């Protein structure tokens, strides 16, 4: 028998921008397909019309593209099992539901919302597990057909006795008691399928060999196994990925970092770092390696190395990885990244295009310092403004224990020394020499007063190195800012 090619899918519901916790499923499904030379599909599960958010479609595509998770079949690229958007496949789900009806494996249920509510309340009162009691199972098929014009749903006949065994690639065997399952809905009264019907019908139709999904679906697995059986299709390999917890060991929430993937991009995380970070949420190379680049991940990925224990989402690890990948970039790529980032993120008051040569010169200084690309903004802004970015005069003396007179002496000495440098000698080395000469002029170490100069030049007490900053800023703007700082100090009450 020839091995079937592996076919995996990511099947998000467009109910908002995909979150990082959710996109991990896409990464694992993609990695398995890529490692085995199989196919990775994207399928949009938009059958819950009440939760549909149109803009999330674009966000799903954009998140996948940003992380480099290309799909072989799906929206935009098409494929042999198109359409890949469930709301465009309704006739197919009706066909499957009707087949199950005709074979006596499903039935029409006419129970009203009121009856179902009362049933649930009663079950709660008796501390029984919730679930449909199967009342409409006993309606004779002919009678049910005659009532087909009435509002109703179609339910699946779950076995009442025995067990359903899930063979999970990550968890091994998980046994479910059938008595605890109920006759779940396949087709809703609005004509839309439930997740259960649509997902399974599509996984069968699209020849999915490995269903990789979050642990929250584990409890639905017996329903799905029975559906496969009822439809006469061989079961796929099931893999329920471990739940992701925050560092507080509680279920991952917005507060613990489960926000939209694109928000992470906006904050300046690199896709390389994100992929590495997500890869380690449940999978590991060897229990100790933290740096796993995309290639290494794909080459080594297997479901066997995914653990069942909860994964912990630790943003500090992501920061660490981001810093690592920033520093690992070649100087050219880094410079291009800085230019692109700044073009898109510096305030719109700064005229475009930005001076590339300035950013390219600043790039090596930034590469050692930033954790996220967004850290760049405040570090370079001063290079693109005529005056120093706005700051409070008090900031000038903050690190001098409020000694305004001393601050004035520093600024005056700096003005004197720097003004003496002619324009053609305004280089990093000469600037450094001039500033260092203040040590003897003031009789104190540079580190005691350097913050005043930082604030004067860049509006903040620290940043990229001072001498480089002054050199990049140029003679006129540097002197102007020192004079401005002086004026601010003069106006302060000493
Ligand atoms: N639409 C489901 C979700 O977004 C897909 C689950 C699955 O992968 O089967 O959670």
């Amino acid at each position: 028998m020839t091995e079937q090619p592996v076919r995996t899918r990511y099947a998000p519901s467009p109910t908002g921008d995909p979150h990082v916790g959710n996109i991990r499923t896409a990464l694992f499904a993609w990695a398995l397909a890529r490692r085995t030379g199989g196919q990775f599909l994207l399928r949009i599960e938009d059958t819950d019309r009440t939760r549909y958010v149109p803009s999330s479609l674009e966000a799903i595509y954009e998140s996948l593209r940003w992380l480099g998770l290309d799909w072989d079949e799906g929206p935009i690229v098409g494929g042999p099992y198109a359409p890949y958007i469930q709301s465009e496949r309704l006739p197919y789900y009706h066909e499957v539901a009707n087949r199950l009806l005709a074979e006596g494996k499903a039935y029409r249920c006419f129970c009203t919302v009121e009856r179902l509510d009362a049933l649930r309340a009663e079950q709660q009162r008796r501390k029984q597990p919730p679930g449909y009691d199967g009342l409409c199972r006993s309606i004779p098929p002919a009678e049910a057909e005659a009532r087909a014009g009435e509002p109703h749903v179609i339910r699946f006949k779950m076995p009442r006795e025995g067990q359903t065994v899930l063979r999970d690639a990550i968890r091994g065997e998980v046994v479910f008691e059938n008595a605890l399952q109920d006759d779940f809905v396949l087709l809703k009264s609005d004509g839309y399928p439930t997740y259960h019907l649509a997902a399974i019908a599509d996984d069968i139709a699209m020849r999915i060999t490995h269903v990789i999904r979050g642990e929250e679906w584990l409890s639905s697995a017996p329903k799905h196994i029975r559906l496969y059986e009822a439809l006469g299709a061989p079961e796929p390999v099931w893999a329920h990925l471990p739940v992701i917890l925050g560092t507080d060991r509680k279920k991952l929430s917005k507060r613990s970092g489960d926000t939209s993937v694109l928000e992470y991009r906006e904050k300046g995380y690199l896709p390389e770092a994100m992929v590495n970070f997500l890869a380690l949420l449940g999978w590991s190379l060897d229990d100790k390696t933290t740096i796993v680049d995309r290639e290494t991940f794909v080459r080594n990925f297997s479901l066997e190395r995914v653990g069942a224990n909860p994964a912990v989402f630790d943003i500090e690890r992501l920061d660490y990885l981001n810093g690592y990948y920033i520093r690992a970039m070649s100087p050219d790529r880094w410079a291009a990244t800085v230019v692109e980032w700044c073009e898109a993120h510096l305030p719109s008051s700064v005229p475009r295009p930005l001076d590339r040569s300035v950013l390219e010169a600043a790039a090596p200084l930034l590469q050692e310092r930033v954790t996220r690309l967004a850290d760049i903004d405040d570090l370079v802004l001063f290079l693109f403004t005529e005056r120093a970015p706005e700051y409070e005069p008090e900031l000038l003396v903050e690190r001098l224990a409020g000694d305004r007179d001393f601050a004035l002496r520093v600024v005056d000495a700096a003005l004197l020394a720097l003004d003496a440098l002619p324009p053609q000698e305004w280089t990093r080395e000469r600037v450094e020499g001039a500033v260092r000469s203040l040590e003897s002029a003031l009789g104190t170490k540079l580190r005691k007063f350097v913050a005043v100069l930082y604030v004067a030049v860049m509006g903040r007490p620290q940043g990229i190195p001072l001498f480089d900053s002054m050199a990049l800023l140029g003679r006129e703007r540097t002197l102007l800012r020192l004079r401005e700082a002086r004026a601010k100090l003069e106006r302060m009450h000493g």
Side-chain angles (χ1 to χ4, degrees), residues 159-176:
R160 287 279 166 85
E161 284 143 21
Q163 297 174 325
T164 299
V165 179
L166 165 72
R167 285 180 191 80
D168 189 277
I170 296 169
R171 289 148 211 279
E173 279 194 3
V174 186
V175 178
F176 297 88

mmCIF file of all heavy atoms in Angstrom, residues 159-176:
data_model
loop_
_atom_site.group_PDB
_atom_site.id
_atom_site.type_symbol
_atom_site.label_atom_id
_atom_site.label_comp_id
_atom_site.label_asym_id
_atom_site.label_seq_id
_atom_site.Cartn_x
_atom_site.Cartn_y
_atom_site.Cartn_z
ATOM 1 N N PRO A 159 -24.847 6.564 19.854
ATOM 2 C CA PRO A 159 -25.131 5.310 20.563
ATOM 3 C C PRO A 159 -25.400 5.609 22.037
ATOM 4 O O PRO A 159 -24.812 6.525 22.607
ATOM 5 C CB PRO A 159 -23.854 4.483 20.389
ATOM 6 C CG PRO A 159 -22.830 5.405 19.840
ATOM 7 C CD PRO A 159 -23.514 6.605 19.282
ATOM 8 N N ARG A 160 -26.314 4.850 22.628
ATOM 9 C CA ARG A 160 -26.714 5.095 24.015
ATOM 10 C C ARG A 160 -25.849 4.347 25.014
ATOM 11 O O ARG A 160 -25.763 4.700 26.169
ATOM 12 C CB ARG A 160 -28.167 4.649 24.207
ATOM 13 C CG ARG A 160 -29.165 5.578 23.560
ATOM 14 C CD ARG A 160 -29.407 6.765 24.477
ATOM 15 N NE ARG A 160 -30.082 7.866 23.837
ATOM 16 C CZ ARG A 160 -31.393 7.972 23.706
ATOM 17 N NH1 ARG A 160 -32.190 7.018 24.127
ATOM 18 N NH2 ARG A 160 -31.903 9.045 23.148
ATOM 19 N N GLU A 161 -25.276 3.245 24.533
ATOM 20 C CA GLU A 161 -24.500 2.399 25.452
ATOM 21 C C GLU A 161 -23.080 2.229 24.938
ATOM 22 O O GLU A 161 -22.769 2.615 23.819
ATOM 23 C CB GLU A 161 -25.150 1.011 25.569
ATOM 24 C CG GLU A 161 -26.385 1.007 26.421
ATOM 25 C CD GLU A 161 -27.431 0.067 25.876
ATOM 26 O OE1 GLU A 161 -27.054 -0.845 25.099
ATOM 27 O OE2 GLU A 161 -28.625 0.254 26.193
ATOM 28 N N GLY A 162 -22.274 1.635 25.782
ATOM 29 C CA GLY A 162 -20.909 1.324 25.373
ATOM 30 C C GLY A 162 -19.996 2.534 25.462
ATOM 31 O O GLY A 162 -20.301 3.513 26.137
ATOM 32 N N GLN A 163 -18.882 2.418 24.778
ATOM 33 C CA GLN A 163 -17.872 3.458 24.869
ATOM 34 C C GLN A 163 -17.405 3.867 23.478
ATOM 35 O O GLN A 163 -17.555 3.114 22.521
ATOM 36 C CB GLN A 163 -16.667 2.917 25.655
ATOM 37 C CG GLN A 163 -17.023 2.557 27.090
ATOM 38 C CD GLN A 163 -15.871 1.900 27.808
ATOM 39 O OE1 GLN A 163 -15.098 1.152 27.206
ATOM 40 N NE2 GLN A 163 -15.750 2.177 29.102
ATOM 41 N N THR A 164 -16.843 5.034 23.415
ATOM 42 C CA THR A 164 -16.200 5.479 22.178
ATOM 43 C C THR A 164 -14.745 5.776 22.535
ATOM 44 O O THR A 164 -14.479 6.484 23.500
ATOM 45 C CB THR A 164 -16.886 6.743 21.618
ATOM 46 O OG1 THR A 164 -18.248 6.407 21.321
ATOM 47 C CG2 THR A 164 -16.207 7.224 20.345
ATOM 48 N N VAL A 165 -13.858 5.174 21.771
ATOM 49 C CA VAL A 165 -12.437 5.315 22.107
ATOM 50 C C VAL A 165 -11.742 6.218 21.095
ATOM 51 O O VAL A 165 -11.796 5.978 19.888
ATOM 52 C CB VAL A 165 -11.744 3.935 22.122
ATOM 53 C CG1 VAL A 165 -10.267 4.082 22.447
ATOM 54 C CG2 VAL A 165 -12.431 3.031 23.138
ATOM 55 N N LEU A 166 -11.123 7.243 21.624
ATOM 56 C CA LEU A 166 -10.327 8.140 20.782
ATOM 57 C C LEU A 166 -8.882 7.678 20.837
ATOM 58 O O LEU A 166 -8.337 7.452 21.922
ATOM 59 C CB LEU A 166 -10.435 9.571 21.331
ATOM 60 C CG LEU A 166 -9.390 10.568 20.804
ATOM 61 C CD1 LEU A 166 -9.651 10.937 19.351
ATOM 62 C CD2 LEU A 166 -9.367 11.827 21.664
ATOM 63 N N ARG A 167 -8.279 7.518 19.678
ATOM 64 C CA ARG A 167 -6.834 7.228 19.647
ATOM 65 C C ARG A 167 -6.150 8.509 19.204
ATOM 66 O O ARG A 167 -6.215 8.883 18.045
ATOM 67 C CB ARG A 167 -6.540 6.071 18.705
ATOM 68 C CG ARG A 167 -6.960 4.775 19.337
ATOM 69 C CD ARG A 167 -6.730 3.537 18.503
ATOM 70 N NE ARG A 167 -7.437 2.428 19.166
ATOM 71 C CZ ARG A 167 -8.754 2.212 19.061
ATOM 72 N NH1 ARG A 167 -9.501 2.991 18.291
ATOM 73 N NH2 ARG A 167 -9.317 1.217 19.711
ATOM 74 N N ASP A 168 -5.542 9.151 20.166
ATOM 75 C CA ASP A 168 -4.986 10.473 19.910
ATOM 76 C C ASP A 168 -3.464 10.376 19.814
ATOM 77 O O ASP A 168 -2.829 9.724 20.644
ATOM 78 C CB ASP A 168 -5.398 11.410 21.063
ATOM 79 C CG ASP A 168 -5.045 12.857 20.788
ATOM 80 O OD1 ASP A 168 -3.888 13.234 21.038
ATOM 81 O OD2 ASP A 168 -5.922 13.595 20.320
ATOM 82 N N ALA A 169 -2.917 11.028 18.797
ATOM 83 C CA ALA A 169 -1.462 10.933 18.573
ATOM 84 C C ALA A 169 -0.684 11.538 19.727
ATOM 85 O O ALA A 169 0.485 11.212 19.933
ATOM 86 C CB ALA A 169 -1.094 11.636 17.268
ATOM 87 N N ILE A 170 -1.298 12.411 20.481
ATOM 88 C CA ILE A 170 -0.585 13.072 21.580
ATOM 89 C C ILE A 170 -0.942 12.444 22.926
ATOM 90 O O ILE A 170 -0.097 12.307 23.801
ATOM 91 C CB ILE A 170 -0.929 14.581 21.587
ATOM 92 C CG1 ILE A 170 -0.422 15.219 20.289
ATOM 93 C CG2 ILE A 170 -0.339 15.276 22.805
ATOM 94 C CD1 ILE A 170 -0.908 16.628 20.046
ATOM 95 N N ARG A 171 -2.194 12.033 23.074
ATOM 96 C CA ARG A 171 -2.668 11.568 24.383
ATOM 97 C C ARG A 171 -2.846 10.082 24.520
ATOM 98 O O ARG A 171 -3.214 9.587 25.591
ATOM 99 C CB ARG A 171 -4.035 12.208 24.671
ATOM 100 C CG ARG A 171 -3.945 13.649 24.951
ATOM 101 C CD ARG A 171 -5.182 14.399 24.491
ATOM 102 N NE ARG A 171 -4.755 15.732 24.120
ATOM 103 C CZ ARG A 171 -4.544 16.703 24.992
ATOM 104 N NH1 ARG A 171 -4.758 16.516 26.255
ATOM 105 N NH2 ARG A 171 -4.103 17.877 24.580
ATOM 106 N N GLY A 172 -2.664 9.367 23.431
ATOM 107 C CA GLY A 172 -2.933 7.935 23.499
ATOM 108 C C GLY A 172 -4.431 7.698 23.502
ATOM 109 O O GLY A 172 -5.188 8.484 22.929
ATOM 110 N N GLU A 173 -4.860 6.635 24.168
ATOM 111 C CA GLU A 173 -6.290 6.307 24.153
ATOM 112 C C GLU A 173 -7.067 7.102 25.188
ATOM 113 O O GLU A 173 -6.669 7.198 26.337
ATOM 114 C CB GLU A 173 -6.483 4.817 24.451
ATOM 115 C CG GLU A 173 -6.247 3.982 23.215
ATOM 116 C CD GLU A 173 -6.752 2.549 23.369
ATOM 117 O OE1 GLU A 173 -7.343 2.212 24.416
ATOM 118 O OE2 GLU A 173 -6.543 1.790 22.424
ATOM 119 N N VAL A 174 -8.164 7.663 24.740
ATOM 120 C CA VAL A 174 -9.054 8.366 25.675
ATOM 121 C C VAL A 174 -10.426 7.722 25.495
ATOM 122 O O VAL A 174 -10.938 7.621 24.376
ATOM 123 C CB VAL A 174 -9.139 9.875 25.358
ATOM 124 C CG1 VAL A 174 -9.953 10.598 26.425
ATOM 125 C CG2 VAL A 174 -7.744 10.491 25.239
ATOM 126 N N VAL A 175 -10.996 7.246 26.602
ATOM 127 C CA VAL A 175 -12.255 6.512 26.528
ATOM 128 C C VAL A 175 -13.417 7.387 26.981
ATOM 129 O O VAL A 175 -13.329 8.056 28.007
ATOM 130 C CB VAL A 175 -12.174 5.244 27.413
ATOM 131 C CG1 VAL A 175 -13.505 4.492 27.388
ATOM 132 C CG2 VAL A 175 -11.031 4.354 26.929
ATOM 133 N N PHE A 176 -14.462 7.405 26.191
ATOM 134 C CA PHE A 176 -15.664 8.193 26.516
ATOM 135 C C PHE A 176 -16.849 7.254 26.689
ATOM 136 O O PHE A 176 -17.032 6.326 25.884
ATOM 137 C CB PHE A 176 -15.969 9.173 25.377
ATOM 138 C CG PHE A 176 -14.893 10.205 25.153
ATOM 139 C CD1 PHE A 176 -13.822 9.935 24.298
ATOM 140 C CD2 PHE A 176 -14.954 11.437 25.783
ATOM 141 C CE1 PHE A 176 -12.824 10.884 24.085
ATOM 142 C CE2 PHE A 176 -13.961 12.388 25.577
ATOM 143 C CZ PHE A 176 -12.893 12.116 24.726
#
